[in-house]
Amino acid sequence: MSLDDRLRANLTENLHAEHFADEIRIVGGMDDCPETERVLDAFRNVPREAFAGPGPWSTRSVFYDMALRKTPDADPRWLYHCVLVVLDEKLGINIGEPSFWARILARTCIRSDSRILQVGAGVGYYTAILDQLAGQGGKITAYEVDDALVKRARENLQSLSNVGIQQGNAAIELEENGPFDLIISFAGATHIPAKWISQLTPNGRILLPMTGINGWGAMVLARMQDQSLTGKTLGRCAFYPCAGARNDMQAKRLDELLYTRAQCDRAQVNFSEFSLGAHIESVMPEA
């Protein structure tokens, strides 16, 4: 069954999808608000098994110290939990943990007509989630470096007319596809590339993991206002590195600035040197 067929199916009768949404709500500690419901609907409507490949699947859970576990069999119900689905163990490529992304996306408040740049499409699962949130009036341009992942993403998303998959490194090879209302990186950066800033709308936003030497850091939501960027941290995270958007000195500085969970969860972020690719100048915990 194609992704388009599954999206048209009556998934309210799918007990796996309903349980999935409930688990995401609880594990993610999500607020009871309309934006939460929009995001949970997106997770209900996108079939995870259409992207994970043939089972059984290798998964990781924060409840088991991220230890690698194989599902008992190929029943799709095992995918409808708050687990990472491992795509490439050696490279550290996964379909990300749902409760984390649901919480972050709900706090980002994506408009239904948004033009979005996704950096790191993987196999397209979160591209499909973003398409749900952007709606028919939106447009998703998704970049992916890996040849095999690009092929899988294009196959998985071929029925979605508002989605385009580009092969390449968006940090250094981004074409003039903008302007974008929102740029989302699914790989860890130490700074915001100038190419991203140049393709933002006047009030555009950038959501990205800013990570240190070992891949740990904070999700940052930055907004362009009056030709300058301001931002805030949304929570602690760990990510695969974003090629072309990393600098060792800035990675060390990030480790110094984001050394406590409190700074990762509730802090204002100042940016500077936009023409060189903005970086965190200081992190100030909110009062």
Side-chain angles (χ1 to χ4, degrees):
M1 182 181 291
S2 71
L3 173 60
D4 195 47
D5 291 338
R6 289 297 305 271
L7 289 173
R8 290 194 177 113
N10 183 6
L11 289 178
T12 59
E13 296 180 2
N14 185 335
L15 295 180
H16 299 330
E18 286 301 315
H19 170 81
F20 191 38
D22 289 342
E23 186 172 312
I24 290 172
R25 185 195 302 271
I26 293 170
V27 175
M30 300 182 70
D31 296 332
D32 185 12
C33 65
E35 195 57 33
T36 288
E37 300 309 317
R38 284 189 70 234
V39 170
L40 291 180
D41 279 345
F43 279 87
R44 287 186 183 98
N45 291 339
V46 177
R48 219 172 180 206
E49 64 270 26
F51 298 86
W57 302 275
S58 294
T59 64
R60 294 186 184 277
S61 169
V62 295
F63 298 110
Y64 295 100
D65 296 323
M66 302 302 288
L68 190 68
R69 290 172 177 262
K70 184 81 83 173
T71 61
D73 51 48
D75 190 327
R77 70 191 178 100
W78 302 116
L79 298 174
Y80 287 86
H81 292 280
C82 292
V83 295
L84 288 87
V85 180
V86 177
L87 299 176
D88 191 314
E89 173 65 14
K90 290 183 178 179
L91 294 179
I93 299 174
N94 314 288
I95 297 176
E97 207 277 346
S99 67
F100 169 83
W101 276 110
R103 182 175 67 254
I104 295 297
L105 293 175
R107 295 183 67 181
T108 304
C109 298
I110 298 173
R111 296 198 317 268
S112 61
D113 60 348
S114 295
R115 290 177 57 87
I116 300 173
L117 169 65
Q118 181 191 18
V119 180
V123 294
Y125 176 71
Y126 283 102
T127 316
I129 296 290
L130 294 175
D131 179 68
Q132 287 275 306
L133 295 172
Q136 289 300 310
K139 174 69 176 177
I140 314 297
T141 301
Y143 272 72
E144 175 53 54
V145 173
D146 186 271
D147 295 355
L149 294 179
V150 168
K151 182 179 179 181
R152 288 179 64 179
R154 285 174 174 164
E155 291 174 352
N156 292 335
L157 301 167
Q158 60 185 324
S159 63
L160 302 183
S161 60
N162 294 337
V163 172
I165 303 295
Q166 300 272 4
Q167 183 168 2
N169 185 332
I172 56 179
E173 300 172 342
L174 180 62
E175 298 176 1
E176 293 294 328
N177 299 123
F180 298 104
D181 301 300
L182 178 64
I183 297 174
I184 303 181
S185 177
F186 281 68
T190 59
H191 59 278
I192 301 177
K195 282 183 175 289
W196 299 359
I197 298 171
S198 68
Q199 294 205 44
L200 279 179
T201 59
N203 294 309
R205 298 176 297 163
I206 299 176
L207 175 66
L208 80 164
M210 300 195 77
T211 57
I213 296 295
N214 295 317
W216 284 93
M219 288 299 297
V220 173
L221 180 61
R223 179 185 295 275
M224 179 65 74
Q225 287 184 310
D226 299 324
Q227 297 185 330
S228 64
L229 277 174
T230 60
K232 61 182 178 180
T233 56
L234 299 184
R236 187 168 172 80
C237 65
F239 273 84
Y240 184 84
C242 182
R246 297 201 63 80
N247 175 284
D248 287 345
M249 290 187 65
Q250 290 181 357
K252 292 178 182 178
R253 179 64 175 145
L254 281 167
D255 284 335
E256 294 170 1
L257 291 168
L258 298 171
Y259 65 90
T260 68
R261 182 175 297 275
Q263 287 174 315
C264 291
D265 291 344
R266 304 180 66 84
Q268 297 294 324
V269 180
N270 290 334
F271 294 89
S272 64
E273 299 182 16
F274 301 150
S275 63
L276 302 178
H279 66 274
I280 286 186
E281 182 182 60
S282 62
V283 176
M284 303 173 296
E286 292 179 340

